[in-house]
Amino acid sequence: MGSLDGKVAFITGVARGQGRAHAVRLATEGADIIGIDICADLESMDYPNASVEDLSETKRLVEATGRRMVARQADVRYYDQVEAAFNEGVAEFGRIDIVLANAGVIRLASEANPQLEWDEILGTNLTGVWNACRVSIPKMIEGGNGGSIVMTSSTAGLKAPATMLAGGQAYSASKHGMVGLMRTWARELAQYSIRVNTIHPTGVVSGMTMNETMQAMMADPEALTASMQNALPIEILQADDISDFVEFLVSERGRYITGQTLGVDAGFLVR
């Protein structure tokens, strides 16, 4: 028996990286998955987003565990798209127990269009989290089974970078903003046994970090990324490292944890 038998999880940014790893881990533990991803590039970003083929591969990996998945292309910035995909999944599976508001983007390279960079990063990283939670919470309350919401923030949501770049400012603001949303909902939803937490990973292997733009910046001693180093002797984590913690947090083992900002950061925050 798995730790999540009979549960249903809604995951944003599910096509690759942490989202895919979380979907497969939770499915391995017995959960069915409702998953969405934009599967399209954003104009202001300087690296490619996941593809439709990536989303199909996540679905294949989930179903290889023996669980089911409703996988849909949707942009978390737009409530109606998130709602439509979520409702389709709930109609299929009949319940919702877990929400992983995971979709996120970043731009650390030099500015090209600061206003657009600000809007797209805030829209994805913060409005997208609000949308995912707002469509899910009423159904979670209605179900009467409690639940767990985990928002993927960042070390930048607790320890702001020093930068004049719109991309870095927007990223930090969005990840800090998530903490405010989490604390608000944690207080309000405790009466329904719904737990809400943020996790704050350090660098994780994903399409966001493993691309030509980011690799060039990591090699530049003058770039903002040069100061992004962990205390423990490991350069970057794997997505599965974060999934280990997420699975614990959304399971019965994490049943008394709510309203917390939880670092999975290899000591980044203590440097």
Side-chain angles (χ1 to χ4, degrees):
M1 292 182 62
S3 65
L4 301 172
D5 284 346
K7 305 291 188 182
V8 175
F10 178 44
I11 306 175
T12 67
V14 77
R16 68 181 184 192
Q18 291 182 60
R20 173 185 287 175
H22 300 342
V24 175
R25 176 61 56 83
L26 270 54
T28 300
E29 294 295 334
D32 291 318
I33 308 297
I34 307 166
I36 63 173
D37 203 290
I38 187 173
C39 298
D41 293 341
L42 296 180
E43 182 180 347
S44 72
M45 297 300 100
D46 49 4
Y47 62 90
N49 274 331
S51 65
V52 173
E53 291 75 21
D54 290 326
L55 182 59
S56 295
E57 176 63 8
T58 297
K59 179 177 171 66
R60 185 191 70 79
L61 291 168
V62 166
E63 293 179 344
T65 72
R67 304 313 306 171
R68 296 173 293 164
M69 180 175 183
V70 172
R72 295 292 180 265
Q73 189 174 355
D75 187 335
V76 294
R77 295 175 295 171
Y78 301 109
Y79 186 92
D80 58 342
Q81 293 187 29
V82 178
E83 183 180 43
F86 173 78
N87 286 345
E88 186 176 348
V90 171
E92 175 73 18
F93 300 134
R95 61 186 293 161
I96 185 66
D97 304 278
I98 297 160
V99 177
L100 304 183
N102 169 77
V105 294
I106 189 172
R107 181 187 174 97
L108 289 175
S110 60
E111 294 178 348
N113 186 332
Q115 184 66 62
L116 182 62
E117 291 157 22
W118 175 268
D119 289 343
E120 290 193 340
I121 293 171
L122 265 292
T124 301
N125 295 6
L126 189 55
T127 301
V129 168
W130 188 84
N131 286 339
C133 293
R134 287 283 296 196
V135 303
S136 307
I137 288 169
K139 288 291 186 184
M140 198 175 276
I141 293 172
E142 181 184 312
N145 300 306
S148 179
I149 298 171
V150 179
M151 305 173 185
T152 303
S153 183
S154 165
T155 52
L158 296 174
K159 181 181 179 181
T163 179
M164 286 300 294
L165 297 177
Q169 292 169 352
Y171 187 78
S172 181
S174 68
K175 297 300 187 176
H176 275 78
M178 237 183 259
V179 174
L181 280 179
M182 176 273 289
R183 288 173 173 159
T184 298
W185 274 319
R187 293 187 64 184
E188 174 62 23
L189 299 178
Q191 61 186 306
Y192 306 108
S193 297
I194 297 171
R195 301 179 295 106
V196 191
N197 297 284
T198 50
I199 57 171
H200 299 262
T202 185
V204 179
V205 172
S206 71
M208 178 187 288
T209 57
M210 308 307 290
N211 58 70
E212 291 182 4
T213 300
M214 188 65 74
Q215 293 309 302
M217 292 193 67
M218 292 298 290
D220 181 359
E222 301 301 319
L224 175 63
T225 49
S227 63
M228 296 179 180
Q229 297 179 5
N230 302 321
L232 294 178
I234 181 167
E235 182 177 345
I236 194 166
L237 303 185
Q238 299 295 318
D240 285 343
D241 295 325
I242 314 304
S243 296
D244 288 340
F245 185 71
V246 168
E247 183 269 318
F248 161 80
L249 193 57
V250 302
S251 75
E252 277 297 298
R253 289 169 292 159
R255 63 188 177 276
Y256 299 130
I257 303 173
T258 194
Q260 300 300 306
T261 55
L262 301 162
V264 191
D265 69 332
F268 178 91
L269 291 168
V270 300
R271 281 186 65 96

